[in-house]
Amino acid sequence: MLRGARTPIERARFPVIDIHTHLCWAEEQVSGIEMSGSRRYLATPADLLPVMDRMNVRALVNLTGGWGTGLGESVTQFDIAEPSRFYTFTTPDFGRVLEPDYSRSQADAVVDAHRAGARGLKILKTLGLFLREGVTTGPLIGVDDARFDPMWDVCGQLRIPVAIHVSDPAAFFRPVDRFNERYEELSAHPDWSFHGGDFPSKAQLLAARDRVFARHPNTQFLALHVGNFAEDLEHVSGCLDRFPNVSVDIAARIGELGRQPRAARKFFDRYQDRVLFGTDATPQGYDMPQQLFGEQLYEIYFRFLETPDEYFDYAPCDIPPQGRWRIYGLELPEDILIKVYNHNAVRLLGENTQT
Ligand SMILES: [Zn+2]
């Protein structure tokens, strides 16, 4: 019954680069592993540009661009057709991990992808949670497995960022019972639970990821979803303090940041040069569980970052998808807002354009 201020934000105050979207997905996926570089498209630039223009979203970064011919098509349809409005990242072909020369050939594939126009490398949570020694069977392959070292290094040499998703929300590693704060979500999607079985703990997964950050100081990593630990900003701060080659995005985590507005505001102050705007948006019609692209989604993100509004929904749904709570706006000052909306992304993407 609470009645609070409602400050509609129809356009972002500064041009926005959304560093985390999915405009296409792998044609073929087995047990969470992309088995093909070819893509299934969810939208065309013509579908997306009118919404982007209305909301002041200057560019979308499509993280899941695939590899090979699939990647080439993504780049042609988006990046080349609409320069500076779309950027495509490549993904590794983990299905080939058993091949004897995989370590080298995967690094070479990233070089090829970069030549074909990819602006970064995306690592899905596949690594650490799905990819196994027999691809889909056998023991899990560690995030810090030495086979991937050449791949991380080559990204540093090419000066392209690695957008990396490791582990998942803390609640997904806890028993799915009445004490789990995301019980409804996990009941609806039991396969999102990584509790039990042979899954590593969240702490083990993040520790392995941090060893990768430490071993590859010349590679820029974008630790997605607030470093995959938005529930514990002290932990994320520790990671950012230890590794100057790491930055974070806020995609699909305003529900977490917005329920701790004072800690979140301090976090934005302190790491204002290393926090990037992202949503995890996907165009409508997608069968993946991300947030749907559109005005409503962006309005909530802008309201969260720009206004002092209190206790509002973090998602454009009747039932909050990540847990039954609401959020508080941060009212970021303009100098921080412009960095989060675009300057930090411009730097990470190595864009040489104006904003
Ligand atoms: Zn995503």
Side-chain angles (χ1 to χ4, degrees):
M1 300 306 292
L2 182 70
R3 293 185 63 160
R6 195 189 172 283
T7 314
I9 304 286
E10 282 160 17
R11 275 174 75 78
R13 200 172 315 163
F14 301 106
V16 168
I17 297 176
D18 187 340
I19 198 79
H20 191 151
T21 72
H22 302 280
L23 306 181
C24 56
W25 200 251
E27 202 108 61
E28 199 194 343
Q29 251 205 354
V30 180
S31 307
I33 295 157
E34 299 186 341
M35 289 299 188
S36 158
S38 22
R39 305 282 106 176
R40 190 157 51 85
Y41 293 90
L42 308 157
T44 63
D47 300 326
L48 302 165
L49 284 166
V51 179
M52 293 165 67
D53 291 342
R54 278 201 294 280
M55 304 309 288
N56 203 14
V57 175
R58 203 258 286 161
L60 300 183
V61 177
N62 176 19
L63 291 180
T64 36
W67 61 89
T69 21
L71 174 73
E73 284 165 18
S74 301
V75 169
T76 305
Q77 289 183 49
F78 287 96
D79 306 37
I80 294 175
E82 296 290 345
S84 84
R85 305 304 304 271
F86 297 98
Y87 296 105
T88 303
F89 278 33
T90 185
T91 42
D93 185 359
F94 285 137
R96 292 195 296 108
V97 76
L98 296 180
E99 293 176 10
D101 65 338
Y102 174 75
S103 189
R104 192 65 255 161
S105 71
Q106 180 60 72
D108 293 344
V110 172
V111 176
D112 292 344
H114 176 250
R115 212 172 281 138
R119 301 297 294 260
L121 172 70
K122 162 76 194 278
I123 304 296
L124 296 154
K125 66 183 163 194
T126 309
L127 188 56
L129 287 170
F130 297 106
L131 184 65
R132 292 170 180 275
E133 289 293 352
V135 184
T136 57
T137 57
L140 285 159
I141 295 179
V143 174
D144 59 338
D145 191 284
R147 272 169 281 190
F148 307 116
D149 282 337
M151 176 176 75
W152 309 129
D153 278 337
V154 95
C155 292
Q157 287 154 18
L158 297 169
R159 296 177 176 281
I160 55 171
V162 177
I164 185 165
H165 178 148
V166 171
S167 86
D168 246 353
F172 292 11
F173 292 83
R174 318 248 330 160
V176 185
D177 60 18
R178 67 192 191 280
F179 301 110
N180 192 309
E181 67 177 10
R182 292 170 77 152
Y183 176 72
E184 284 170 291
E185 182 186 13
L186 288 165
S187 302
H189 307 277
D191 53 319
W192 294 2
S193 170
F194 301 111
H195 178 256
D198 67 345
F199 294 116
S201 67
K202 184 174 170 72
Q204 287 169 326
L205 287 163
L206 295 181
R209 179 201 66 181
D210 289 357
R211 288 193 289 275
V212 173
F213 295 163
R215 280 214 301 265
H216 304 278
N218 297 321
T219 303
Q220 288 295 322
F221 291 92
L222 177 66
L224 302 171
H225 306 300
V226 196
N228 277 108
F229 211 174
E231 300 92 329
D232 187 344
L233 291 181
E234 235 179 87
H235 184 281
V236 183
S237 301
C239 178
L240 289 169
D241 291 342
R242 279 202 310 286
F243 307 114
N245 55 328
V246 174
S247 41
V248 299
D249 81 0
I250 61 168
R253 293 297 179 273
I254 60 170
E256 296 298 338
L257 295 169
R259 64 169 165 163
Q260 45 179 332
R262 287 183 287 271
R265 178 57 206 275
K266 281 189 194 135
F267 184 83
F268 275 85
D269 280 344
R270 180 147 182 211
Y271 303 105
Q272 55 185 273
D273 297 309
R274 296 160 76 187
V275 181
L276 280 68
F277 181 92
T279 57
D280 211 358
T282 60
Q284 203 131 23
Y286 210 71
D287 59 8
M288 290 296 293
Q290 277 106 352
Q291 317 194 61
L292 291 181
F293 174 87
E295 275 101 341
Q296 281 183 303
L297 178 71
Y298 282 114
E299 251 187 59
I300 294 171
Y301 273 75
F302 301 160
R303 191 180 180 199
F304 167 63
L305 295 171
E306 295 187 23
T307 82
D309 285 3
E310 297 183 299
Y311 204 65
F312 55 92
D313 289 324
Y314 59 79
C317 325
D318 291 335
I319 295 173
Q322 301 179 331
R324 287 193 185 243
W325 59 80
R326 302 178 104 198
I327 63 169
Y328 304 82
L330 296 185
E331 202 181 10
L332 292 177
E334 292 199 336
D335 56 329
I336 297 183
L337 204 52
I338 196 166
K339 291 176 176 181
V340 171
Y341 272 157
N342 71 58
H343 286 178
N344 296 339
V346 164
R347 201 169 52 244
L348 197 70
L349 292 167
E351 265 193 334
N352 46 15
T353 63
Q354 75 300 345
T355 53

